[in-house]
Amino acid sequence: MNLPYTVTQNELLDLLLNVAPVRPVFIWGAPGIGKSALVEQFSNAVGLPCVSLLGSQLAPEDIIGIPQIKGDTSEFLPPKMIARKEPYVLFLDELNACSQEVQKAFYSLIHERRIGEYHLPEGSIVVGAGNRAQDSAIVKTMSSALINRMFHVQMRVDAGQWIKWAQSEGLHPWVIDYIIQRPDHLFSEPPKTEEPYSTPRSWHMLSDALMEYRADEVMLSQDVLKMLAYGCLSPSHAGMFLAYTKQLGNTHLLDDIIAQNSKWPAKPEDRDVLYFLAQSFRGKLMQELPKSKQDIKGNQLTFVYRAKGMIKELSVINFEIAQMVVSAEEGDVLPDWFMVEVARDLPRLVISK
């Protein structure tokens, strides 16, 4: 399922606080973007314990329980972890990864908050979550009856909110600083091949690994850093992260280049650092240039002139990397008015791309 509207982490938490107490909510989203962690945060916010069931590992009897003979009749005894006396948040993770039989077992639990004769305690909340079909994850078609029993919302990653969370949780400073410079690298769509890819969860894993290696205290070899980065992230992001670590002695080099206090690194051995800085420069352009030239305000005009000068300086050092700065990348393009000015000042850079 792909909903036409998506929400950030903060928006989703607010929605859960308002909707989930009265209607079951199903959260759609790619693996590793923080769906489970957000449900935990929600349960803490409402002051209820969270009980998680993993749909991909459930059989029908794990939900409806097993029958027990009582006199001339039998009754189903629901599992102990579900049959509680106090209200709680029941989190059905990977709900759309379970079989049709298990999905049917959830019907009454989701719609009426009961299993056979057992009713969830008053005040209990049911929340489901699952990946999308395009995520290359284990998913099965969710029955129309089950879809119609839940309120659906799709979560997206917001780098700004994630950075604030990462800072509050004390993630490794290299990871936080890198995502501040390259917020577009926080998440990448799952690849079709079997390889690591970047998500908030994988950046958290890299942070944990760097913490264990005490990377900000011990000089790690490039081989160790490569092993850690390529073991967690998309290959292109891993390469950029390694380039970032090479220029840690001057983490504000791009700002210094913009302020004309430093120059683009021009040595052949610094080519990966140059590429990282150029990528970061492109990201800054995408973020700070207004869509319309008429919307330029204050110091933005100075930045526009300096940006064109930096592109010219970069093209002298490496023409291909300069082209990368102004080219379309994964559907993202610089504002048309800026491209017109670049084409006027550096026509060969734009014409030959």
Side-chain angles (χ1 to χ4, degrees), residues 115-292:
I115 305 171
E117 298 178 3
Y118 169 77
H119 289 260
L120 296 183
E122 188 70 27
S124 294
I125 297 171
V126 179
V127 178
N131 303 317
R132 306 160 301 171
Q134 66 265 38
D135 293 324
S136 301
I138 299 174
V139 294
K140 294 181 172 64
T141 302
M142 188 182 291
S143 72
S144 58
L146 190 56
I147 288 176
N148 197 238
R149 282 169 163 79
M150 308 188 79
F151 181 99
H152 296 268
V153 61
Q154 185 166 323
M155 179 179 170
R156 73 173 185 272
V157 175
D158 182 277
Q161 293 178 14
W162 187 86
I163 289 168
K164 289 180 180 178
W165 170 84
Q167 290 170 333
S168 67
E169 292 294 316
L171 265 64
H172 197 280
W174 293 1
V175 168
I176 295 174
D177 186 57
Y178 182 85
I179 297 300
I180 289 174
Q181 296 188 50
R182 294 307 309 265
D184 54 318
H185 284 189
L186 178 59
F187 173 76
S188 59
E189 291 292 338
K192 301 302 181 185
T193 56
E194 296 175 330
E195 62 184 31
Y197 62 100
S198 303
T199 66
R201 179 165 58 202
S202 61
W203 282 106
H204 197 172
M205 285 193 293
L206 177 60
S207 170
D208 289 345
L210 292 170
M211 289 285 196
E212 291 300 315
Y213 273 89
R214 295 184 294 123
D216 51 347
E217 302 173 22
V218 179
M219 182 65 71
L220 297 183
S221 69
Q222 278 295 300
D223 287 340
V224 171
L225 287 172
K226 283 181 180 180
M227 175 185 68
L228 299 182
Y230 282 99
C232 299
L233 309 175
S234 301
S236 60
H237 296 174
M240 288 295 94
F241 182 78
L242 291 171
Y244 158 81
T245 63
K246 284 187 177 181
Q247 53 94 48
L248 281 171
N250 189 352
T251 55
H252 302 291
L253 183 55
L254 179 60
D255 291 335
D256 290 339
I257 296 172
I258 294 173
Q260 294 184 280
N261 294 326
S262 294
K263 297 181 178 180
W264 292 109
K267 296 179 180 179
E269 60 266 29
D270 292 332
R271 194 51 43 89
D272 53 350
V273 176
L274 177 67
Y275 188 78
F276 167 75
L277 290 170
Q279 284 269 14
S280 300
F281 178 47
R282 174 183 168 81
K284 193 174 184 69
L285 292 175
M286 295 293 302
Q287 185 177 9
E288 296 195 9
L289 293 179
K291 294 297 182 184
S292 171

Side-chain angles (χ1 to χ4, degrees), residues 34-55:
K35 300 187 294 295
S36 302
L38 195 93
V39 175
E40 288 281 355
Q41 185 180 351
F42 163 70
S43 66
N44 291 333
V46 296
L48 296 175
C50 183
V51 176
S52 297
L53 297 179
L54 201 59

Side-chain angles (χ1 to χ4, degrees), residues 288-303:
E288 296 195 9
L289 293 179
K291 294 297 182 184
S292 171
K293 190 175 182 179
Q294 285 70 36
D295 293 331
I296 296 177
K297 299 176 182 178
N299 293 332
Q300 283 183 321
L301 185 59
T302 301
F303 175 67

Side-chain angles (χ1 to χ4, degrees), residues 5-19 38 151 153-158 161:
Y5 186 77
T6 59
V7 297
T8 66
Q9 300 97 301
N10 291 350
E11 291 170 335
L12 179 53
L13 179 60
D14 185 61
L15 183 142
L16 288 174
L17 290 170
N18 285 279
V19 177
L38 195 93
F151 181 99
V153 61
Q154 185 166 323
M155 179 179 170
R156 73 173 185 272
V157 175
D158 182 277
Q161 293 178 14

